Amino acid sequence: MPWFKNLIKISKTITNQSSSYKSITPLASPLLTQFLQFTKHYSTNHHVVGLEATKSDQKPRIVVLGSGWAGCRLMKDIDTNIYDVVCVSPRNHMVFTPLLASTCVGTLEFRSVAEPIGRIQPAVSTQPTSYFFLANCNAIDFDNHMIQCQTVTEGVETLEPWNFNVSYDKLVIASGAHALTFGIKGVNEHATFLREVHHAQEIRRKLLLNLMLSDVPGVSEEEKRRLLHCVVVGGGPTGVEFSGELSDFILKDVHQRYAHVKDYIHANEILSSFDDRLRVYATKQLTKSGVRLVRGLVQDVQPEKIILSDGTNVPYGLLVWSTGVGPSPFVNSLDIPKAKGR
């Protein structure tokens, strides 16, 4: 971005003209001064030290790991007149997960389920000593009250990630859970989860792409049925919600806009033994909506089909995996007391 490049040029000019940032403090806001110090250190050492321990005349610093329900609810109520707030998370927003399934089929737009962290806790955007860092926390030094982080710079032609440290006075670990695959081969490679906005975007992209591809001349009947077969693995809240939204989408939108393939598209939900919640109610309601329920255990996931424990092959064009969550690898790595791994 031009303004960002210009700001870096300004910082380099000031760095060359002065050996100390004290001389520019009266001319620059505290936020700009800290940014210039950040830029100077990174340009000379290719490494960011981060935030040092607070001094006696400064406000205590609360560091929150994660931007989910727990972390954001806590940050919203922190009195920033008493504490500085630092949030470290690989995403800069909170996701309202109960409505995430609705975005997959266009009932809601993605921006309707994502709330920026700066709106939840304005201090991270407006106060010079409170921050949001787009990064992952890799380790915690409990003895020295310090976390070790690495920036999130995924994508094409982006900066190489770098490490930095953040000292804390109080630490809140709210880094969320991890989707469970139970060690089943092929899940991570071929299935799509439904926990983040980008997951919903990928499901929506695949669903619409398969609808359009199935209408192209030359596609065999067998391939057309595979492309338009949506499989949801898991009988918990996420699987039930998505299956219900998908059923409405098929009955309303697909039957109107894709008349040539309306009789081919259908959905299956694999109600495995991993999760028994809502099974009775889900079975009754989803069957009414036209979702075919299959009871079984997934043994293997391949690029175009899943194999159940009884040997049944289930072809799919879209596979959504929602069999529950467990502790993340980061939480598992922490040497602290846990309850059921959490």
Side-chain angles (χ1 to χ4, degrees):
M1 294 177 285
W3 66 267
F4 186 77
K5 293 179 180 179
N6 291 336
L7 190 56
I8 292 178
K9 289 179 181 178
I10 293 172
S11 70
K12 289 181 178 179
T13 302
I14 296 174
T15 302
N16 294 332
Q17 292 177 352
S18 175
S19 60
S20 171
Y21 280 94
K22 294 181 180 179
S23 62
I24 67 166
T25 301
L27 302 177
S29 67
L31 183 60
L32 177 58
T33 301
Q34 291 177 7
F35 179 81
L36 296 180
Q37 291 173 335
F38 177 96
T39 306
K40 176 185 177 183
H41 190 85
Y42 178 72
S43 63
T44 55
N45 298 306
H46 305 287
H47 175 77
V48 178
V49 171
L51 298 180
E52 298 179 351
T54 56
K55 297 179 174 58
S56 58
D57 60 342
Q58 296 177 319
K59 290 186 289 185
R61 180 184 299 141
I62 297 180
V63 174
V64 180
L65 304 182
S67 56
W69 288 84
C72 288
R73 188 66 185 87
L74 174 78
M75 283 190 290
K76 184 178 178 65
D77 287 342
I78 291 177
D79 187 347
T80 54
N81 293 317
I82 301 175
Y83 296 102
D84 287 330
V85 182
V86 174
C87 178
V88 178
S89 175
R91 70 182 188 198
N92 67 345
H93 57 276
M94 174 191 167
V95 179
F96 191 79
T97 47
L99 295 179
L100 190 59
S102 300
T103 65
C104 298
V105 295
T107 305
L108 290 175
E109 283 302 317
F110 301 110
R111 64 178 179 272
S112 301
V113 300
E115 186 75 0
I117 301 302
R119 194 174 297 168
I120 295 173
Q121 177 46 266
V124 300
S125 300
T126 59
Q127 294 192 12
T129 50
S130 291
Y131 302 90
F132 169 80
F133 293 138
L134 190 70
N136 284 308
C137 177
N138 295 328
I140 302 175
D141 184 347
F142 291 105
D143 294 331
N144 296 312
H145 283 209
M146 181 180 294
I147 62 171
Q148 300 170 12
C149 306
Q150 185 176 71
T151 56
V152 175
T153 56
E154 298 176 355
V156 180
E157 296 182 355
T158 58
L159 293 171
E160 289 294 325
W162 64 89
N163 301 319
F164 63 96
N165 299 328
V166 177
S167 295
Y168 65 85
D169 296 294
K170 297 181 183 294
L171 178 66
V172 178
I173 302 174
S175 52
H178 189 70
L180 292 178
T181 64
F182 302 95
I184 298 173
K185 181 183 176 182
V187 175
N188 288 318
E189 292 81 4
H190 308 301
T192 304
F193 301 98
L194 185 52
R195 293 182 52 77
E196 305 287 349
V197 171
H198 66 85
H199 292 152
Q201 291 172 329
E202 178 65 12
I203 290 172
R204 187 164 169 175
R205 186 192 68 83
K206 283 185 178 180
L207 188 59
L208 295 177
L209 179 64
N210 289 348
L211 279 167
M212 290 183 283
L213 287 177
S214 65
D215 208 17
V216 174
V219 178
S220 66
E221 292 291 311
E222 182 180 2
E223 178 66 3
K224 186 176 293 187
R225 293 186 185 280
R226 183 193 70 79
L227 285 170
L228 297 178
H229 188 195
C230 304
V231 176
V232 183
V233 180
T238 301
V240 170
E241 288 164 5
F242 176 71
S243 297
E245 289 286 352
L246 184 60
S247 176
D248 288 342
F249 175 69
I250 293 171
L251 294 175
K252 297 177 182 178
D253 296 341
V254 173
H255 280 210
Q256 293 178 4
R257 303 179 189 179
Y258 299 92
H260 299 96
V261 299
K262 65 181 182 180
D263 296 328
Y264 292 88
I265 185 168
H266 62 283
N268 273 25
E269 177 156 2
I270 309 298
L271 293 178
S272 68
S273 61
F274 296 142
D275 191 347
D276 291 328
R277 295 171 299 175
L278 302 177
R279 177 163 296 173
V280 175
Y281 180 79
T283 301
K284 180 179 178 181
Q285 296 299 321
L286 292 178
T287 301
K288 284 182 180 180
S289 302
V291 177
R292 187 165 70 94
L293 305 178
V294 178
R295 188 180 297 273
L297 293 172
V298 178
Q299 183 175 334
D300 188 20
V301 176
Q302 298 181 6
E304 296 182 355
K305 66 179 180 180
I306 61 175
I307 301 175
L308 303 183
S309 56
D310 61 359
T312 303
N313 292 342
V314 181
Y316 67 85
L318 172 66
L319 175 62
V320 176
W321 194 271
S322 59
T323 58
V325 297
S328 66
F330 167 70
V331 171
N332 280 330
S333 70
L334 298 177
D335 186 19
I336 54 176
K338 303 185 182 81
K340 297 182 179 180
R342 304 187 181 194

